[in-house]
Amino acid sequence: MNVNQSAPPVPPFGQPQPVYPGYHQSSYGGQPGSTTPPTPCGAYNGPVPGHQQTPPPGVSRAPPSSGALPSSTAQVPCGQSAYGQFGQGDVQNGPSSTVQMQRLPGSQPFGSAPLAPVVSQPTVLQPYGPPPTSAQVTAQLAGMQISGAVASAPLPSGLGYGPPTSLASASGSFPNSGLYGSYPQGQAPPLSQAQGHSVAHPPQRSAPQQASSFTPPASGGPRMPSVTGPLLQGQSFGGPPVSQPNHVSSPPPQALHPSTQMAGPPGPPPPMHSSQQPGYQLQQNGSFGPARGPQPNYGSPYPGAPPFSSQPGPPQPLPPKRLDPDAIPSPQLNELPPQQKTRHRIDPDAIPSPIQVIEDDRNNRGSEPFVTGVRGQVPPLVTTNFLVKDQGNANPRYIRCTSYNIPCTSDMAKQAQVPLAAVIKPLARLPPEEVSPYIVDHGESGPLRCNRCKAYMCPFMQFIEGGRRFQCCFCSCINDVPPQYFQHLDHTGKRVDAYDRPELYLGSYEFLATVDYCKNNKFPSPPAFIFMIDVSYNAIRSGLVRLLCEELKSLVDFLPREGGAEESAIRVGFVTYNKVLHFYNVKSSLAQPQMMVVSDVADMFVPLLDGFLVNVSESRAVITSLLDQIPEMFADTRETETVFAPVIQAGMEALKAAECAGKLFLFHTSLPIAEAPGKLKNRDDRKLINTDKEKTLFQPQTGVYQTLAKECVAQGCCVDLFLFPNQYVDVATLSVVPQLTGGSVYKYACFQVENDQDRFMSDLRRDIQKVVGFDAVMRVRTSTGIRAVDFFGAFYMSNTTDVELAGLDGDKTVTVEFKHDDRLNEENGALLQCALLYTSCAGQRRLRIHNLSLNCCTQLADLYRNCETDTLINYMAKFAYRGVLNSPVKTVRDTLITQCAQILACYRKNCASPSSAGQLILPECMKLLPVYLNCVLKSDVLQPGAEVTTDDRAYVRLLVTSMDVAETNVFFYPRLLPLTKSPIESTTEPPAVRASEERLSNGDIYLLENGLNLFIWVGASVQQGVVQSLFSVSSFSQIPSALSILPVLDNPLSKKVRGLIDSLRAQRSRYMKLIVVKQEDKLEMLFKHFLVEDKSLSGGASYVDFLCHMHKEIRQLLS
């Protein structure tokens, strides 16, 4: 390799290089050298305006196997970002920083250019392409390679990891808390190179690296060809590549002149650039070796990039002398400027960004409808708005899988460790542009099924013998076609009426069930709703009872109804309780409601049948009178104790007496300590956290509620619980019945009418109005070779196959894991059929069927190319959240990390092209697995902060158990939207930025949401006009602390922000209460808890640290 090349007259950027004033850096003879930022682009937020986005020339570096190990040079104080606000090369995410970048003069010597990350460009979208490329993150290199000699030189900052010993994380979760790692015996720590310190070497250029990584031979380093002319995008320097930054708000770079030529090692040409797609470049994408093809879901690179010219350049002269690496002086640690000491981490822009992946998927797959006719097709991401055309496979809103191409053998599945699971949401609501499942009525004969496995007729059944028989696609059994169902086949073997019967051409449809599918062989009655209101002292004093009774007067008019029905068939009943229960007779013939008290709570019974459950329209006057009287009747109560289990028991007995299914709405305020079955004691004990007994905090403290839940399921009695606690109420125990009956739990801690009224009312309205299936049983059938083995969600199971749900609504999911029990066949693929038997709101018994066909593979690369990370995280979170019931939390966390490392190590070993062990290579479809998994590990259930209560943890654990993929996606990685960056007249949602404090600019306002919480963060330097437009006050200091409602103002900004909040709330299944947080305010700690890419106060690792930790785990597995 050439050491003594002549320097070109100007840097190859076509522009001068930036320099920071005030830092002198030593060169060979100790004279001050040039000063340059460590990377050619702004550290986090994209290129400096007008600055070319191509790697500058730099020193060629040895692979990570050589030289000293990297290390951090200074500990960053807690709560302070490791990157200063105006650090080296930082560009704020917003208005440009007050520190202006300066440019080097055009005659700057070549050798002072900084080391550059290597970038490889992604290719354009292609629906079913060749094997995937990989997102790679470079290892921090341990020295420079000059003519084969290894120099113990300082390292570039912002680059990642060295050999495993250096990878101890900087979080409380991993060993060696604080610094990155230690050095081997007798080896001096290399320096964290922040300012582009130039080390003694003559001006030189480094070799490009295309699609392979150099590994030094035993005798030293390889001889690398040198570059002629400026480097192009996609060309790179020696040493493992690092990915392109995710730009959020910076301009795309200008294209280089197309006539540039390069010489490089032989091999495939670099990927070509497409100019179709505007926007910003993806994460770097490409494992080394043969050029890989494009990957569905991911977009094209920057527009305007030139084509590559493949002619070799002129040969370069050989270097006349070798440089002695030992002669290079190393500056001492205390000589470095202060910022240099703290800057020791990977550049956050160089690692895969969720925002970029989401944006690319929206651009590539949001415009075309997703047609479900093709087997094993991976749908667009849940964050993409897309329409679905059902052509034989279920809509992804009903079923999403962790992988759409499953291994043919159990050995292969064990090797990959990718869980095979489906997240099923059988009653999911569809957007208005899509058609709800058709209802098929086969009359008294009922739906056609396979005689052996009982699977229902579906598009994958094969008709034979002229249509007289069909072969089951699940078990291969040959069945006769009943005469009334017979139809001739066309020349392709398809029935001529295939498109007239939904069950023969659609993935999802419903059958009307016959009387054989009903309890006791008789059709069900319409269901009933019973409202059970706590009237103890706490509930009355907080104003809850008055508010609730007022609201129920109008809400009973909005009970769910079928199709075009004028009024709902659902009947209603009312109970109030404290230590005793009060039942109300609201029969339409009465002038006033009658109250009956049951004080024997140990032996609960329902004192009246006639007049307890009534039709709303018939008894309207009596119901209104009752709801007016309840707050007055108990206004002077002094009763503080409550019961709980007898209340549920009473509701269930009432439904049993009325011979119908239904739902109980319980409004409860305190720990049930009154003498009665299900009495609880306060067992809250924070000292158990991080001990082996921590799991008891998540377990119910008595078995009474499990028994009660089992009886409720048998009766079809679903329980929705609204909790209003001022202190510990033992959510883990009180939620057992809602959890096992398919119900929901809502929690409003320290409820105050003025602050929480909107949230409670909105949740209650939505809960009462949503369509529910009652008395439901769900079974998932699979084709031969796999079977359902495990289930997660809010339901009860009395055997190993049937999921029983007293109630199931459109927000609830059931997650099913599959295992192999035989070999699968690539040609036939694998099939799933989910059948849900339920009673509709009108009392009609129905079967809803969803079918999905998957591919099978014999190559691991096919498995990794067709995975869905969001679904994988949904499954892993539920698996972990169930694990805390029986195992210490630390064990659960370690299991998740190990499984993730095994998944990625298997890919690295079997699918990625050979490359240096210092490189972290991630499958394209799973490049976000580490960042999302880290969010799960840092969540309140698995790593609680000091402010998180035991009840909060039990509550979150319960919520996640039933979440769908879209909900877990935003819950674990919240959306952070800058409100003041996009033009006010823009009607679209502002583009999100990454969830990290480094992305916040104190001159802007941001909105953060995670499906349960909604924050507006206001920077301290926001313009006065913006503050006035949004908050109607004249300055930042006058914005009230903990504001929860934006004033309604008649200006474009106020309308836009309020409209955005309304649209976000409409997308979520629960009302998100708004909290306005001012910069430097005490509430800011709560807001920062949701900036999940940063290190958390509870000891959770930052994204960068966790990526290093994962890399270390993968290397240990591989070695």
Side-chain angles (χ1 to χ4, degrees):
M1 163 153 175
N2 300 338
V3 179
N4 296 327
Q5 275 178 355
S6 58
V10 288
F13 282 97
Q15 283 179 333
Q17 310 280 318
V19 61
Y20 278 86
Y23 292 121
H24 292 293
Q25 296 175 336
S26 57
S27 193
Y28 268 70
Q31 284 107 16
S34 67
T35 319
T36 47
T39 52
C41 48
Y44 316 119
N45 301 316
V48 177
H51 194 51
Q52 288 281 30
Q53 187 67 16
T54 41
V59 185
S60 108
R61 301 169 310 228
S65 50
S66 60
L69 298 172
S71 145
S72 66
T73 52
Q75 179 90 24
V76 185
C78 178
Q80 210 173 303
S81 167
Y83 308 87
Q85 191 187 351
F86 305 119
Q88 315 61 263
D90 291 26
V91 176
Q92 278 186 297
N93 196 358
S96 58
S97 148
T98 51
V99 179
Q100 291 300 315
M101 300 195 86
Q102 294 182 356
R103 304 280 177 204
L104 281 176
S107 61
Q108 188 63 27
F110 206 87
S112 59
L115 299 168
V118 174
V119 180
S120 119
Q121 296 278 12
T123 38
V124 288
L125 175 75
Q126 180 181 317
Y128 310 104
T133 52
S134 323
Q136 306 176 351
V137 178
T138 17
Q140 188 159 13
L141 296 185
M144 296 186 309
Q145 186 172 314
I146 301 175
S147 302
V150 175
S152 141
L155 295 171
S157 78
L159 293 179
Y161 355 104
T165 46
S166 68
L167 290 175
S169 140
S171 85
S173 329
F174 310 123
N176 295 355
S177 181
L179 298 174
Y180 255 130
S182 50
Y183 328 99
Q185 289 286 313
Q187 206 168 325
L191 294 162
S192 172
Q193 184 82 349
Q195 240 78 28
H197 250 307
S198 114
V199 193
H201 54 81
Q204 62 176 37
R205 299 204 194 178
S206 128
Q209 177 175 321
Q210 287 179 314
S212 60
S213 111
F214 292 104
T215 315
S219 61
R223 178 158 294 163
M224 302 185 200
S226 40
V227 184
T228 58
L231 276 158
L232 297 174
Q233 284 186 325
Q235 275 179 250
S236 57
F237 295 98
V242 72
S243 56
Q244 185 74 16
N246 277 303
H247 303 304
V248 179
S249 58
S250 35
Q254 301 132 7
L256 288 172
H257 200 275
S259 63
T260 322
Q261 298 182 353
M262 60 158 255
M272 304 302 279
H273 301 310
S274 141
S275 54
Q276 300 164 4
Q277 187 64 54
Y280 296 107
Q281 181 190 328
L282 268 184
Q283 290 306 317
Q284 181 215 336
N285 193 354
S287 66
F288 292 147
R292 296 281 177 124
Q295 168 70 16
N297 298 8
Y298 299 105
S300 58
Y302 287 124
F308 284 91
S309 162
S310 55
Q311 285 106 33
Q316 297 292 328
L318 288 172
K321 75 183 181 82
R322 291 200 172 193
L323 185 68
D324 178 10
D326 298 323
I328 300 175
S330 289
Q332 293 305 302
L333 190 61
N334 53 11
E335 294 171 10
L336 296 178
Q339 286 103 315
Q340 222 164 298
K341 299 179 188 178
T342 56
R343 179 83 180 269
H344 61 271
R345 301 195 296 179
I346 301 161
D347 179 354
D349 276 327
I351 52 183
S353 155
I355 303 303
Q356 189 67 50
V357 171
I358 289 168
E359 196 54 41
D360 291 330
D361 193 73
R362 278 182 183 156
N363 292 336
N364 294 328
R365 308 196 66 186
S367 51
E368 292 296 312
F370 177 68
V371 180
T372 70
V374 181
R375 183 175 86 186
Q377 202 181 179
V378 184
L381 299 181
V382 283
T383 43
T384 298
N385 241 335
F386 61 100
L387 280 181
V388 178
K389 285 190 177 167
D390 186 342
Q391 291 192 359
N393 283 295
N395 190 320
R397 298 183 220 285
Y398 293 127
I399 307 183
R400 275 187 179 263
C401 293
T402 53
S403 178
Y404 288 79
N405 201 330
I406 58 181
C408 281
T409 64
S410 57
D411 291 345
M412 193 171 152
K414 278 184 197 135
Q415 186 184 358
Q417 287 285 321
V418 176
L420 304 176
V423 179
I424 305 174
K425 196 174 180 183
L427 297 179
R429 284 183 302 278
L430 300 181
E433 306 85 42
E434 292 176 22
V435 183
S436 293
Y438 291 108
I439 300 174
V440 180
D441 186 358
H442 282 311
E444 288 180 16
S445 60
L448 186 56
R449 306 175 70 175
C450 168
N451 292 328
R452 185 198 289 162
C453 71
K454 302 294 182 221
Y456 294 87
M457 179 52 68
C458 73
F460 309 114
M461 298 286 191
Q462 190 69 42
F463 287 88
I464 52 175
E465 296 179 23
R468 284 187 294 278
R469 306 176 91 185
F470 71 91
Q471 182 170 18
C472 175
C473 51
F474 292 92
C475 68
S476 303
C477 173
I478 307 265
N479 299 270
D480 291 328
V481 174
Q484 71 274 16
Y485 200 79
F486 173 78
Q487 186 53 272
H488 294 288
L489 308 184
D490 65 14
H491 65 286
T492 63
K494 244 185 160 167
R495 284 172 59 118
V496 295
D497 66 346
Y499 291 105
D500 300 329
R501 292 187 176 272
E503 72 272 24
L504 297 182
Y505 77 98
L506 293 176
S508 302
Y509 41 87
E510 290 198 326
F511 292 120
L512 282 187
T514 58
V515 74
D516 309 334
Y517 292 88
C518 303
K519 251 186 207 165
N520 309 325
N521 275 8
K522 69 178 201 186
F523 284 112
S525 309
F529 282 179
I530 304 177
F531 298 95
M532 315 188 91
I533 305 167
D534 174 351
V535 289
S536 64
Y537 176 71
N538 281 340
I540 296 291
R541 191 194 59 183
S542 68
L544 167 66
V545 175
R546 190 172 293 280
L547 174 70
L548 177 58
C549 289
E550 199 55 46
E551 189 68 18
L552 282 177
K553 287 185 211 167
S554 59
L555 270 183
V556 290
D557 288 330
F558 295 99
L559 302 177
R561 64 192 74 176
E562 280 299 302
E566 282 188 21
E567 59 180 53
S568 175
I570 293 173
R571 292 169 294 162
V572 297
F574 298 89
V575 173
T576 55
Y577 67 94
N578 39 44
K579 264 165 62 169
V580 297
L581 275 78
H582 323 105
F583 292 79
Y584 297 92
N585 183 346
V586 282
K587 201 172 177 181
S588 56
S589 55
L590 296 173
Q592 283 293 320
Q594 294 173 347
M595 173 169 150
M596 297 185 180
V597 179
V598 177
S599 51
D600 183 3
V601 289
D603 183 20
M604 184 46 62
F605 67 97
V606 180
L608 77 159
L609 290 178
D610 189 31
F612 179 63
L613 294 177
V614 296
N615 184 294
V616 174
S617 56
E618 290 171 12
S619 298
R620 156 141 339 274
V622 194
I623 290 172
T624 304
S625 172
L626 169 67
L627 293 171
D628 282 336
Q629 289 176 40
I630 287 174
E632 307 307 328
M633 265 191 287
F634 299 100
D636 301 325
T637 185
R638 287 283 168 266
E639 185 55 76
T640 56
E641 293 186 358
T642 56
V643 295
F644 189 71
V647 184
I648 297 175
Q649 179 87 33
M652 184 196 66
E653 297 290 348
L655 293 175
K656 192 184 272 184
E659 295 186 340
C660 68
K663 187 184 264 199
L664 311 182
F665 294 84
L666 249 84
F667 304 90
H668 188 80
T669 59
S670 56
L671 194 69
I673 53 173
E675 277 307 322
K679 174 186 174 181
L680 302 179
K681 60 179 191 291
N682 187 335
R683 54 165 185 165
D684 189 15
D685 186 359
R686 291 192 62 83
K687 292 199 281 296
L688 297 181
I689 292 177
N690 294 326
T691 68
D692 284 353
K693 289 189 175 170
E694 184 174 6
K695 59 190 176 200
T696 59
L697 297 175
F698 297 108
Q699 297 165 350
Q701 59 172 286
T702 164
V704 169
Y705 291 97
Q706 264 113 331
T707 312
L708 184 55
K710 192 174 169 182
E711 292 173 29
C712 285
V713 172
Q715 183 48 49
C717 168
C718 172
V719 179
D720 279 359
L721 174 60
F722 291 79
L723 284 170
F724 305 86
N726 289 333
Q727 54 201 34
Y728 178 74
V729 287
D730 199 350
V731 171
T733 306
L734 296 189
S735 64
V736 166
V737 180
Q739 164 84 358
L740 292 177
T741 59
S744 306
V745 177
Y746 298 84
K747 180 166 161 284
Y748 310 87
C750 303
F751 179 81
Q752 292 175 304
V753 170
E754 59 277 13
N755 288 339
D756 302 294
Q757 170 176 349
D758 289 349
R759 181 172 153 229
F760 168 49
M761 289 296 104
S762 173
D763 286 343
L764 179 61
R765 267 182 223 123
R766 191 185 162 108
D767 199 54
I768 287 177
Q769 292 173 25
K770 64 186 171 192
V771 174
V772 183
F774 293 97
D775 219 348
V777 182
M778 184 179 116
R779 182 177 282 194
V780 178
R781 293 179 173 84
T782 54
S783 54
T784 312
I786 53 170
R787 63 195 168 89
V789 292
D790 208 351
F791 300 84
F792 304 82
F795 51 77
Y796 176 75
M797 290 186 82
S798 55
N799 57 35
T800 57
T801 56
D802 293 337
V803 174
E804 297 174 46
L805 303 120
L808 175 68
D809 60 54
D811 297 325
K812 297 281 186 311
T813 62
V814 177
T815 301
V816 187
E817 187 184 5
F818 303 98
K819 288 256 163 65
H820 287 75
D821 57 7
D822 202 351
R823 189 182 172 87
L824 291 165
N825 160 330
E826 270 189 291
E827 193 182 333
N828 297 338
L831 296 172
L832 316 177
Q833 184 180 77
C834 162
L836 177 78
L837 174 66
Y838 70 101
T839 302
S840 75
C841 296
Q844 197 176 50
R845 203 70 175 147
R846 293 184 188 165
L847 280 152
R848 180 169 286 203
I849 313 293
H850 299 298
N851 303 290
L852 186 63
S853 60
L854 303 172
N855 286 328
C856 298
C857 59
T858 52
Q859 300 296 318
L860 283 165
D862 291 328
L863 163 68
Y864 283 102
R865 195 181 301 121
N866 291 281
C867 285
E868 236 244 332
T869 301
D870 294 322
T871 311
L872 200 54
I873 287 293
N874 180 285
Y875 165 82
M876 291 171 102
K878 290 173 181 177
F879 179 80
Y881 281 18
R882 186 177 67 184
V884 298
L885 292 173
N886 308 308
S887 309
V889 171
K890 184 180 184 314
T891 310
V892 173
R893 290 167 49 81
D894 292 344
T895 305
L896 281 183
I897 292 173
T898 306
Q899 182 171 18
C900 179
Q902 283 172 327
I903 291 171
L904 298 176
C906 174
Y907 174 80
R908 174 68 191 256
K909 184 177 173 187
N910 298 289
C911 308
S913 305
S915 59
S916 147
Q919 287 172 320
L920 173 57
I921 299 186
L922 303 169
E924 181 59 50
C925 285
M926 285 190 191
K927 64 185 177 188
L928 299 181
L929 186 60
V931 61
Y932 287 160
L933 184 72
N934 189 36
C935 297
V936 175
L937 294 172
K938 286 159 65 166
S939 63
D940 291 338
V941 173
L942 298 183
Q943 195 163 37
E947 73 293 342
V948 180
T949 66
T950 307
D951 274 347
D952 284 337
R953 295 178 74 195
Y955 178 58
V956 168
R957 196 192 139 276
L958 190 77
L959 291 181
V960 170
T961 306
S962 297
M963 278 184 183
D964 70 9
V965 180
E967 288 169 324
T968 50
N969 173 274
V970 75
F971 177 74
F972 289 116
Y973 192 94
R975 293 165 74 195
L976 183 60
L977 307 171
L979 297 180
T980 43
K981 293 234 173 101
S982 54
I984 289 185
E985 60 278 2
S986 162
T987 52
T988 54
E989 211 170 82
V993 295
R994 292 168 69 167
S996 167
E997 196 178 345
E998 288 161 2
R999 308 284 158 176
L1000 301 176
S1001 154
N1002 57 8
D1004 285 313
I1005 297 180
Y1006 296 82
L1007 187 145
L1008 181 143
E1009 64 116 359
N1010 74 340
L1012 298 178
N1013 309 85
L1014 193 60
F1015 293 93
I1016 284 184
W1017 182 88
V1018 186
S1021 312
V1022 172
Q1023 291 173 358
Q1024 204 172 330
V1026 172
V1027 172
Q1028 182 74 48
S1029 300
L1030 214 48
F1031 303 104
S1032 194
V1033 294
S1034 56
S1035 70
F1036 172 81
S1037 57
Q1038 290 177 315
I1039 300 172
S1041 198
L1043 187 69
S1044 61
I1045 295 173
L1046 289 181
V1048 177
L1049 303 173
D1050 188 15
N1051 66 66
L1053 181 64
S1054 176
K1055 287 176 182 171
K1056 179 181 174 178
V1057 172
R1058 285 182 289 110
L1060 176 63
I1061 290 172
D1062 290 344
S1063 82
L1064 291 175
R1065 282 174 173 159
Q1067 290 169 27
R1068 306 293 171 214
S1069 60
R1070 290 170 185 245
Y1071 183 90
M1072 298 184 288
K1073 181 181 169 183
L1074 174 67
I1075 300 175
V1076 175
V1077 177
K1078 293 160 69 179
Q1079 189 175 3
E1080 309 291 324
D1081 192 54
K1082 57 183 185 297
L1083 272 174
E1084 201 180 23
M1085 294 316 294
L1086 176 62
F1087 172 77
K1088 285 180 180 174
H1089 174 71
F1090 297 98
L1091 299 176
V1092 288
E1093 287 199 20
D1094 300 336
K1095 186 174 172 177
S1096 69
L1097 288 174
S1098 55
S1102 69
Y1103 174 19
V1104 168
D1105 291 343
F1106 184 70
L1107 203 57
C1108 293
H1109 183 73
M1110 279 318 303
H1111 190 203
K1112 175 182 169 188
E1113 296 278 326
I1114 292 165
R1115 289 174 68 163
Q1116 283 175 345
L1117 287 171
L1118 292 174
S1119 60

